[in-house]
Amino acid sequence: MIYLEIFLAFLIPGILGYGGGPSSIPLVEREVVGTYEWMTTAEFAEVLALGNALPGPILTKMGAYIGYEAGGVFGSIVAISASVLPSLLLMIFLASILYKLKGTNKFKTLTLLIRPVIAILLGVIVVDFLFSSLEVSGTFHTVFLIGLSYVLLHVVKIHPALVIVIGLVYGAVFIR
């Protein structure tokens, strides 16, 4: 019975928690603290703080911990599965629709309309990062890293992941 409760406790936030983490947290708290009383509000706050300190989606991290506390290793697996199941099923459903539409005029039109929007959004992010970098790191470091990245990517042809690591090391050593 505990595994069904764990499943329901994390399925509901997975379905209703639009936008992921921040919107899911009150739903998880209601289920875990209020409905099933697996932990107190203070304990939940500690789990939330721990989950925010780690990388990745908050709902799955909290599900792993709370599921383990309530039902052991299998409880952890059940909680993680329940939290990702709604998104997974929706992605499969939408992918099947897109696969059926692939090659049609509607799909081509949709693709043509989406590309400029994506390009504009990426451009906005680049400009925002540029101004943020100029403010935080200074003009010299920003221009140097842009130039170095260009040379490493297009002239030397180093893998982008290595360029990111080089930039991180440069920032750790030279930028305070």
Side-chain angles (χ1 to χ4, degrees):
M1 187 66 176
I2 186 72
Y3 299 118
L4 178 62
E5 292 174 348
I6 293 171
F7 184 80
L8 292 175
F10 285 92
L11 182 69
I12 292 167
I15 292 170
L16 300 177
Y18 178 77
S23 61
S24 301
I25 293 167
L27 299 170
V28 173
E29 182 181 19
R30 181 176 181 275
E31 296 298 317
V32 170
V33 176
T35 304
Y36 298 109
E37 299 178 350
W38 291 323
M39 51 181 54
T40 65
T41 303
E43 291 170 330
F44 183 81
E46 290 178 11
V47 172
L48 177 61
L50 177 65
N52 277 325
L54 298 171
I58 187 77
L59 186 59
T60 55
K61 292 180 288 189
M62 291 177 66
Y65 184 83
I66 295 168
Y68 182 78
E69 286 292 314
V73 173
F74 189 67
S76 181
I77 293 169
V78 168
I80 293 170
S81 300
S83 64
V84 299
L85 187 65
S87 298
L88 177 66
L89 292 176
L90 185 60
M91 284 183 1
I92 291 170
F93 173 71
L94 292 175
S96 67
I97 290 173
L98 287 176
Y99 186 74
K100 289 177 185 175
L101 293 175
K102 187 178 176 182
T104 65
N105 287 334
K106 287 182 182 181
F107 188 80
K108 290 177 186 174
T109 304
L110 178 68
T111 304
L112 288 173
L113 293 174
I114 288 175
R115 283 183 185 164
V117 173
I118 292 171
I120 290 169
L121 290 173
L122 289 173
V124 168
I125 290 171
V126 167
V127 170
D128 189 38
F129 280 172
L130 175 65
F131 286 123
S132 175
S133 178
L134 288 169
E135 183 180 317
V136 173
S137 303
T139 305
F140 173 78
H141 293 298
T142 301
V143 171
F144 177 76
L145 284 172
I146 290 170
L148 178 66
S149 298
Y150 180 82
V151 169
L152 291 176
L153 288 169
H154 296 287
V155 177
V156 183
K157 301 204 186 295
I158 292 179
H159 192 278
L162 291 175
V163 175
I164 292 170
V165 170
I166 291 168
L168 288 172
V169 170
Y170 177 86
V173 173
F174 295 108
I175 300 174
R176 301 262 182 246

